[in-house]
Amino acid sequence: MDPVEVPLPASRPLRADARRNREALLSAARQAFLGGDTDAHVEDIARSAGVAVGTLYRHFETREALIEEVYRKEVDDLCAAPAELLAQHPPEEALRRFLLLLVEHAAVGKGMSVVLESIMATDSPVFDEARARMADALSRLLEAGAAAGTVRGDVTGPTLLRALGGICGMRATEGWLTEARQITALLFDGLRHGAAGAA
Amino acid sequence: MDPVEVPLPASRPLRADARRNREALLSAARQAFLGGDTDAHVEDIARSAGVAVGTLYRHFETREALIEEVYRKEVDDLCAAPAELLAQHPPEEALRRFLLLLVEHAAVGKGMSVVLESIMATDSPVFDEARARMADALSRLLEAGAAAGTVRGDVTGPTLLRALGGICGMRATEGWLTEARQITALLFDGLRHGAAGAA
DNA sequence: CACATAAGCGGAGTCCGACTCACCTTATGG
DNA sequence: CCATAAGGTGAGTCGGACTCCGCTTATGTG
């Protein structure tokens, strides 16, 4: 009777205005979330994107889904970094820089630290991909370091990811950044401690 | 006209039934939160304590306030541990054991990890006291270790607290405990690395 | 023991914010 | 230029935290 719904809803070209609105929503949400306002109201986000709530819900299943989308994009940027760092520095230094990069990134706003924390501390399947990619990025750094003999070999990407999650999960308060850098240095020392070349 | 409200609302003896109900509410909330159900409904908590919501709100300003109260009590237990450990073990070992104790404690349920995370990652003034006490506990361990020359002296209690917050903030998933132990060991190695006695 | 009275309690009702739905608007391909 | 389906709208629903006020009861005084 109905001519078999094509099970390929993935790649429908998406009408021009729809694309614009989707973009505007993501941008508005990004502004809200990455700024401090982690519990911005959907109504406000929709309004500041110049659309109605109905439109927002046409594009994103739930409020959460919208947040996740915003956050996922941020993580993409971070995941690009390791490759670049490895190309320009010895593995140990690349690792050190990436750890600090995460910290600085988390420092730009309460929102971003929530992103990273969500990636690392939630078991939401939505973040599985981001988590996996980030863990992968770390693994590459660790392996390069282990191969060079400057980093211990018994710590895996996922494990380090967890440890970092905590640091990024801190909410920015007075002196936060200093502490975060110190903890990172601590972890880094721990990572070098068991290296083949060290004690 | 009104005979000057005594500004000592702190120590009003509290009627017997009220005391009972307050206890019952805390107990019910504890059961709910420390078990997995971190977003238990106030209505349900009240019901399972055998009272109405009104009563709940007589005792606790908001839902949050109730949660915080429950969590604060849990932390009290933990803060008692360092003194005992220091009495029975050399400082370095006491420190190691306390770190692991935190991990095990966080492992008993999703709820408890939320407690610890809240203590460490929020700047809510409500947790100020708990945070301070925990930081103090860690400081004592670190100082004892530094005095004995087995732990580096440039890390403070509050800083280590932050680092641990992350570990406890992880939500229990398959293999979580193993990772947490590994990260703790990593931190511990980092702490010993810069010690006077070491390299 | 009886009573006064203030502490305490109940639970229907308010408020507010996420989400839905029935109808209107408009891009687009023929 | 029209048909038509994708897209947009926003008043309305729903659910959950919190309030309010009249009723209940512990408690201490004569």
Side-chain angles (χ1 to χ4, degrees):
Chain A
M1 304 329 171
D2 33 18
V4 187
E5 273 300 346
V6 185
L8 284 171
S11 53
R12 224 28 120 56
L14 202 58
R15 226 168 75 177
D17 54 347
R19 179 156 204 73
R20 254 196 317 279
N21 284 338
R22 188 168 211 284
E23 221 89 313
L25 281 166
L26 277 172
S27 162
R30 187 192 146 86
Q31 183 120 8
F33 294 141
L34 297 191
D37 194 5
T38 23
D39 36 50
H41 298 185
V42 287
E43 204 100 13
D44 296 342
I45 294 172
R47 191 188 346 279
S48 78
V51 302
V53 278
T55 304
L56 189 153
Y57 280 99
R58 168 170 294 274
H59 289 290
F60 304 95
E61 198 71 15
T62 74
R63 193 189 111 101
E64 278 272 290
L66 173 56
I67 300 179
E68 285 164 359
E69 191 62 32
V70 169
Y71 286 173
R72 189 146 39 191
K73 290 211 166 176
E74 287 307 304
V75 172
D76 281 350
D77 292 353
L78 276 175
C79 289
E84 210 168 323
L85 286 171
L86 271 177
Q88 300 180 348
H89 304 277
E92 186 187 5
E93 178 64 11
L95 175 59
R96 199 181 65 83
R97 285 182 184 238
F98 185 61
L99 297 190
L100 288 175
L101 186 63
L102 277 175
V103 170
E104 304 299 327
H105 221 90
V108 304
K110 186 181 171 190
M112 190 59 206
S113 75
V114 175
V115 184
L116 294 168
E117 193 190 1
S118 299
I119 301 287
M120 298 155 188
T122 318
D123 44 9
S124 157
V126 189
F127 281 120
D128 272 354
E129 200 199 324
R131 190 166 24 251
R133 221 159 10 162
M134 187 74 91
D136 210 54
L138 287 169
S139 289
R140 268 197 304 274
L141 287 167
L142 287 169
E143 278 162 22
T150 48
V151 172
R152 71 200 287 167
D154 63 346
V155 176
T156 68
T159 297
L160 184 54
L161 182 65
R162 299 271 194 194
L164 290 170
I167 299 173
C168 297
M170 307 177 201
R171 297 300 170 278
T173 39
E174 204 57 51
W176 169 86
L177 194 53
T178 307
E179 279 187 23
R181 289 203 186 105
Q182 209 176 344
I183 295 171
T184 306
L186 196 59
L187 264 180
F188 187 62
D189 276 358
L191 284 170
R192 284 192 304 187
H193 186 53
Chain B
M1 297 316 175
D2 32 20
V4 187
E5 273 299 345
V6 185
L8 284 171
S11 52
R12 227 22 124 57
L14 201 58
R15 226 167 76 177
D17 55 346
R19 179 154 204 72
R20 255 199 315 279
N21 283 338
R22 187 167 212 285
E23 222 88 314
L25 280 166
L26 278 171
S27 162
R30 187 193 147 85
Q31 183 120 11
F33 294 141
L34 297 191
D37 195 3
T38 23
D39 36 49
H41 298 185
V42 285
E43 202 100 14
D44 296 343
I45 293 172
R47 188 185 353 275
S48 78
V51 302
V53 278
T55 303
L56 188 154
Y57 280 99
R58 164 168 296 271
H59 290 290
F60 305 95
E61 198 71 14
T62 73
R63 195 189 110 102
E64 279 272 290
L66 172 57
I67 299 179
E68 285 164 359
E69 191 62 32
V70 169
Y71 287 174
R72 190 147 39 192
K73 292 211 165 174
E74 286 307 304
V75 172
D76 281 351
D77 293 353
L78 276 175
C79 289
E84 209 168 323
L85 287 171
L86 272 177
Q88 298 180 348
H89 304 277
E92 185 187 5
E93 178 64 11
L95 175 59
R96 199 181 65 82
R97 283 181 186 240
F98 185 61
L99 299 190
L100 288 176
L101 187 63
L102 277 176
V103 170
E104 304 300 326
H105 222 88
V108 305
K110 186 180 170 190
M112 189 60 207
S113 75
V114 175
V115 183
L116 294 169
E117 193 190 2
S118 299
I119 302 285
M120 298 156 188
T122 317
D123 44 11
S124 157
V126 190
F127 282 120
D128 273 354
E129 202 199 322
R131 192 168 22 252
R133 221 162 7 166
M134 188 74 90
D136 209 56
L138 287 169
S139 290
R140 269 197 303 275
L141 287 168
L142 288 169
E143 277 161 23
T150 48
V151 173
R152 71 200 287 168
D154 63 346
V155 176
T156 69
T159 297
L160 182 55
L161 182 65
R162 300 272 194 193
L164 290 169
I167 298 173
C168 297
M170 308 176 201
R171 297 301 169 277
T173 38
E174 203 57 50
W176 169 85
L177 194 52
T178 307
E179 279 188 23
R181 289 203 186 107
Q182 208 177 344
I183 296 172
T184 305
L186 195 59
L187 265 180
F188 187 62
D189 276 358
L191 283 170
R192 284 193 304 186
H193 185 54

